[in-house]
């Protein structure tokens, strides 16, 4: 084989190797970015999907969907109104825990609606919230699961208290004035 053919083969092989290295580096960087952005939600999604690639694809899709939403901060008046309502619901918890957990669920949903999150489906709400509030979305899932268990008549007062604490964590995040993580990263 002529020397020029060996040179072309060597250059082509080098290009293939460099492309593979670049692709691996890009995947690793994407993984690290998603891990940092989603925190515990990243690990939960990987465990749930069973494959890192599937989980990362889902998380990236959540980000794309979230980017299309117009999530806005609450006005000071709304923040005050919701804060007052939350304090009233919380004060009633001691005397009527069963009813107040349902009120907390509805109040969180109302705040999400006013901020611009779609609220039709719980799983979609949780996925959307996970983009902006990855540290507390698991609280939301846990609270909602207890609420559903309660609706079936299978939750005791301690479960309801736990649900209320979980709802409060998300509620406080939703009331914040800060720019959601997905908008700050732009």
């Amino acid at each position: 084989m002529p020397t020029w053919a060996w040179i072309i083969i060597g250059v082509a092989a080098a290009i293939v190797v460099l492309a593979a290295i670049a692709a691996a580096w890009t995947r690793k960087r994407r993984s690290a970015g998603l891990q940092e952005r989603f925190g515990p939600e990243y690990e939960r999604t990987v465990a749930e999907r069973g494959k890192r690639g599937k989980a990362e694809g889902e998380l990236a899709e959540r980000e794309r969907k979230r980017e299309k939403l117009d999530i806005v901060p609450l006005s000071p008046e709304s923040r005050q109104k919701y804060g007052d309502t939350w304090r009233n619901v919380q004060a009633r918890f001691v005397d009527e825990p069963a009813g107040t957990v349902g009120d907390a669920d509805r109040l969180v949903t109302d705040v999400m609606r006013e901020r611009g999150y779609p609220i039709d489906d719980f799983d979609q709400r949780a996925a959307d919230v996970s983009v902006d509030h990855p540290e507390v979305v698991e609280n939301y899932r846990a609270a909602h699961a207890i609420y559903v268990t309660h609706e079936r008549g299978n939750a005791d007062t301690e479960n309801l208290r736990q649900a209320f604490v979980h709802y409060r964590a998300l509620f406080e995040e939703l009331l914040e004035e800060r720019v959601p993580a997905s908008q700050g990263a732009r």
Side-chain angles (χ1 to χ4, degrees), residues 27-43 46 52 56 59 63 134-135:
R27 276 192 307 277
K28 184 174 175 107
R29 206 174 89 181
R30 176 182 179 225
S31 292
L34 288 169
Q35 255 179 321
E36 183 178 323
R37 176 138 167 59
F38 283 94
E41 181 66 6
Y42 177 90
E43 298 303 327
V46 169
R52 188 171 302 278
E56 290 179 355
L59 293 171
E63 285 182 318
E135 299 298 324

Side-chain angles (χ1 to χ4, degrees), residues 17 19 22 32 65 70 74 82 86 100-101 112 147 149 163 166:
V17 168
K65 284 182 180 178
D70 185 23
L74 293 172
Y82 286 123
W86 182 266
T100 56
V101 168
M112 290 174 72
Y147 173 66
T149 299
H166 290 317

Side-chain angles (χ1 to χ4, degrees), residues 42-54:
Y42 177 90
E43 298 303 327
R44 188 199 70 79
T45 307
V46 169
E48 188 176 276
R49 296 295 170 257
K51 293 191 177 184
R52 188 171 302 278
K54 277 187 171 183

Side-chain angles (χ1 to χ4, degrees), residues 34 37-38 49 56-71 116-118 121 123-132 182-183 186:
L34 288 169
R37 176 138 167 59
F38 283 94
R49 296 295 170 257
E56 290 179 355
E58 179 181 322
L59 293 171
E61 180 59 26
R62 287 184 198 179
E63 285 182 318
R64 283 189 289 280
K65 284 182 180 178
R66 168 54 188 88
E67 288 295 321
K68 294 177 184 174
L69 301 176
D70 185 23
I71 305 300
Y117 289 100
D121 173 69
D123 291 328
Q124 187 59 53
R125 281 195 311 261
D128 292 339
V129 165
S130 76
V131 177
D132 294 327
S182 62
Q183 291 176 348
R186 290 182 194 165

Side-chain angles (χ1 to χ4, degrees), residues 85-114:
T85 303
W86 182 266
R87 284 184 286 284
N88 290 334
V89 170
Q90 188 168 312
R92 288 189 358 254
F93 182 82
V94 173
D95 294 326
E96 127 188 48
T100 56
V101 168
D103 291 343
D105 183 77
R106 284 184 289 283
L107 188 56
V108 164
T109 302
D110 289 347
V111 171
M112 290 174 72
R113 178 185 299 113
E114 188 165 331

Side-chain angles (χ1 to χ4, degrees), residues 68-81:
K68 294 177 184 174
L69 301 176
D70 185 23
I71 305 300
V72 297
L74 293 172
S75 68
E77 297 80 21
S78 289
R79 214 173 13 267
Q80 181 68 44
K81 175 187 79 168

